[in-house]
Amino acid sequence: MFLRFREAYSQQSPASLLTKQEAIAQMLENNYGVRIAENQKLIAENNKGILNSGYLPTVNGTAGANYEQTDTEVDFGGALNQDGSVRDNVNIQDAETRRYNAAINVNYTLFDGLGRLYNYKRLKELYNLSELQARQTIETNALQLMSVYLEVARIRENVQVLEQALDISLKREQRAQYQFDYGQVNKLEVLNARVDINTDSINLLNAQQQLRNAKRDLNLIMQRDIETSFAVDTTVTLLNELEIVSFIEKASENNVRLLQADRNVTVSEYDIKTARSLMLPRIGLTGSYGWNQTDNPASAFFPSTTNLSTSLQLGANLTWDIFDGGTSITNYRNAQIRFKNEELLKKQIGDEVKRDIANARGNYNNALRIYQMQEQNLITNQNNFTRTEERYKLGQVSSVEFRQAQVNLLNAQTTKNLAKYDAKLAELQLLQLTGQLLNVEL
């Protein structure tokens, strides 16, 4: 019965291996947060283009048509014709007047106090900032992905350990049953073995459910069907100490938060210059070309006429807001204050990053030492279990002592697994703070 139980719950259908790099690639392609960040970067790229710079002229065209219909009656007030007769009134019905016009107008700002130059540079910096924001989103999601990936790997190894523990308990129950059948042990030995099988089976069931849940979490981060089956790579490779030290030394050049703070300071500098440009005069050029046509109907005194005209106009203008109520001065002063705030924020972020890196370095070193100690502890427990198992087969130790050695080995194996993946996660957190998370083989 217990053998069928183990087969039913420990066997897994074959699944393709999902490597760490493949998982990150799928996350970058499908994750909603990453896609939104990339779209924000595209918006910033459009904003920094020449079409949004203010350096190009504005051109607009106008056209119009008017129609007028009038009825006219002219009374000559008793005036006489040349032959002495009274001149008749003149009635003109449905006289139509048509007017057509079209024009093209061009405006170009020749000088605006260098405002558009600084604004253009500011937009370029905002694009660079959007790239850093997208990178930060990618790093955050990559770290989250790797955290869940490592958790899946850890639970998978725990499942294997629990399967081995159940296998040992099954063999022990079988051995106890044979011994009982031949009268070498009492029924209590068999019952104790079955109790331990039940405990190991429950632990295995719980671990398998945790594994299924963790896989769904990983599929969700990659934005794919949460029931997609896959296997993970349980190999953990840690970087050497020299690489870690070199990354920490260059952290100020690569940390994404520090780089963003630098960009924000630069943007604030351009804000000051843009605000100052509003207090300078502006010189603009204008030009237009127009066409007009008027079709006039015949009147009492004149025949119908058509007037056609074209015009070309060129001009220049100077505008200077000598005093605008103090708005420009206020904006300039506020821009200076915002610049000082950005510099203070940059210093604050610098101190926070130094602290975070120091903490992450300490956490990594501590996790590494714990992992090394747990490896030694596992070797000790493996040796202890091997010797206890040999003595148990010879009848020199009780089943309780054997079970205790087995539980100690199981705990040592799962604790070592936890320490291994904790060390790798601590390393990844340190890599993110040094700006190298996306630059190394995970």
Side-chain angles (χ1 to χ4, degrees):
M1 178 181 67
F2 292 109
L3 182 59
R4 290 196 301 269
F5 172 84
R6 186 189 68 165
E7 290 176 348
Y9 287 95
S10 67
Q11 290 182 354
Q12 294 185 340
S13 59
S16 59
L17 177 65
L18 176 68
T19 66
K20 301 178 185 69
Q21 297 300 328
E22 289 172 346
I24 290 177
Q26 290 194 36
M27 183 272 294
L28 293 177
E29 182 179 355
N30 301 323
N31 184 269
Y32 295 137
V34 173
R35 291 164 64 184
I36 290 173
E38 290 293 338
N39 287 337
Q40 293 294 342
K41 189 172 73 171
L42 291 176
I43 292 175
E45 185 176 7
N46 290 333
N47 288 338
K48 78 178 181 71
I50 189 65
L51 296 177
N52 193 47
S53 65
Y55 278 103
L56 299 179
T58 60
V59 181
N60 64 78
T62 60
N66 292 283
Y67 173 81
E68 180 181 345
Q69 186 181 74
T70 58
D71 296 331
T72 305
E73 181 177 356
V74 180
D75 186 348
F76 292 100
L80 301 177
N81 294 320
Q82 291 182 353
D83 59 1
S85 61
V86 178
R87 191 171 183 176
D88 296 331
N89 294 345
V90 176
N91 290 303
I92 301 176
Q93 302 294 322
D94 300 328
E96 296 179 343
T97 302
R98 297 181 177 86
R99 299 182 181 89
Y100 308 96
N101 64 84
I104 294 178
N105 303 298
V106 180
N107 293 278
Y108 182 70
T109 301
L110 188 63
F111 178 76
D112 66 344
L114 300 179
R116 61 185 171 182
L117 172 64
Y118 298 132
N119 186 60
Y120 184 52
K121 292 182 177 180
R122 177 180 178 274
L123 291 174
K124 285 187 174 182
E125 287 300 323
L126 288 176
Y127 170 73
N128 295 332
L129 184 60
S130 72
E131 284 189 317
L132 293 173
Q133 290 168 343
R135 173 186 153 188
Q136 185 178 36
T137 300
I138 292 173
E139 286 183 355
T140 301
N141 282 275
L143 183 61
Q144 181 186 14
L145 173 81
M146 288 305 303
S147 175
V148 179
Y149 188 98
L150 294 176
E151 179 67 4
V152 172
R154 182 187 71 85
I155 298 175
R156 180 69 192 100
E157 287 201 82
N158 284 351
V159 167
Q160 293 174 339
V161 170
L162 291 169
E163 287 174 345
Q164 293 172 1
L166 178 57
D167 186 66
I168 292 172
S169 295
L170 286 168
K171 291 178 180 177
R172 174 185 153 210
E173 188 268 343
Q174 188 179 38
R175 178 183 179 85
Q177 184 65 49
Y178 288 154
Q179 290 176 327
F180 173 74
D181 292 340
Y182 288 97
Q184 297 177 358
V185 297
N186 57 32
K187 188 66 175 178
L188 184 60
E189 289 289 333
V190 179
L191 294 177
N192 285 339
R194 290 179 179 176
V195 169
D196 292 337
I197 288 175
N198 189 57
T199 300
D200 292 341
S201 299
I202 292 173
N203 292 336
L204 178 58
L205 271 176
N206 289 333
Q208 288 173 332
Q209 182 58 39
Q210 291 174 356
L211 180 60
R212 286 190 288 268
N213 293 343
K215 284 187 174 183
R216 292 190 186 101
D217 291 339
L218 188 58
N219 281 328
L220 180 62
I221 296 175
M222 292 186 292
Q223 305 298 162
R224 65 180 189 176
D225 185 4
I226 60 173
E227 299 299 339
T228 301
S229 177
F230 61 91
V232 295
D233 183 6
T234 57
T235 303
V236 171
T237 304
L238 299 173
L239 299 176
N240 62 59
E241 181 67 15
L242 292 178
E243 287 183 291
I244 295 294
V245 172
S246 66
F247 291 157
I248 293 176
E249 291 175 349
K250 298 180 180 179
S252 59
E253 303 173 10
N254 299 308
N255 179 273
V256 70
R257 290 188 64 200
L258 289 176
L259 294 176
Q260 287 181 5
D262 284 334
R263 296 299 182 188
N264 284 325
V265 169
T266 304
V267 169
S268 295
E269 286 181 317
Y270 288 133
D271 285 339
I272 293 175
K273 295 176 180 179
T274 301
R276 185 171 55 197
S277 69
L278 297 177
M279 295 183 285
L280 299 176
R282 296 179 296 279
I283 301 174
L285 301 176
T286 61
S288 66
Y289 176 81
W291 168 84
N292 294 274
Q293 178 178 323
T294 303
D295 297 331
N296 297 308
S299 66
F301 305 100
F302 301 100
S304 61
T305 60
T306 297
N307 297 328
L308 183 64
S309 65
T310 58
S311 63
L312 176 65
Q313 297 181 359
L314 299 174
N317 56 72
L318 172 67
T319 305
W320 193 355
D321 296 329
I322 298 176
F323 183 71
D324 61 356
T327 301
S328 297
I329 296 176
T330 301
N331 291 337
Y332 176 67
R333 290 174 177 173
N334 288 340
Q336 289 179 313
I337 295 173
R338 285 192 292 269
F339 172 73
K340 293 178 181 179
N341 285 341
E342 290 297 339
E343 285 191 318
L344 292 173
L345 185 59
K346 177 183 175 181
K347 293 179 180 179
Q348 177 184 345
I349 292 175
D351 293 339
E352 291 176 353
V353 169
K354 288 181 181 178
R355 177 207 60 193
D356 293 341
I357 290 177
N359 290 343
R361 175 69 184 275
N363 292 338
Y364 173 67
N365 290 337
N366 188 61
L368 195 58
R369 285 194 294 269
I370 291 175
Y371 174 48
Q372 293 168 348
M373 293 173 65
Q374 291 298 341
E375 283 187 313
Q376 292 300 318
N377 185 49
L378 177 58
I379 294 173
T380 301
N381 277 277
Q382 284 174 332
N383 292 334
N384 179 65
F385 175 75
T386 300
R387 294 178 182 180
T388 303
E389 185 178 32
E390 291 174 354
R391 296 179 63 190
Y392 174 71
K393 291 177 180 180
L394 296 174
Q396 296 176 353
V397 297
S398 66
S399 61
V400 174
E401 293 174 305
F402 176 78
R403 177 62 179 178
Q404 186 59 52
Q406 182 188 10
V407 171
N408 290 341
L409 176 61
L410 175 64
N411 291 336
Q413 289 172 321
T414 56
T415 304
K416 192 269 291 186
N417 288 341
L418 178 61
K420 178 175 69 172
Y421 292 108
D422 279 349
K424 186 60 179 179
L425 182 58
E427 179 187 87
L428 295 176
Q429 292 170 340
L430 181 58
L431 289 175
Q432 182 192 23
L433 290 170
T434 58
Q436 300 293 337
L437 181 62
L438 305 177
N439 300 329
V440 298
E441 186 74 24
L442 300 178

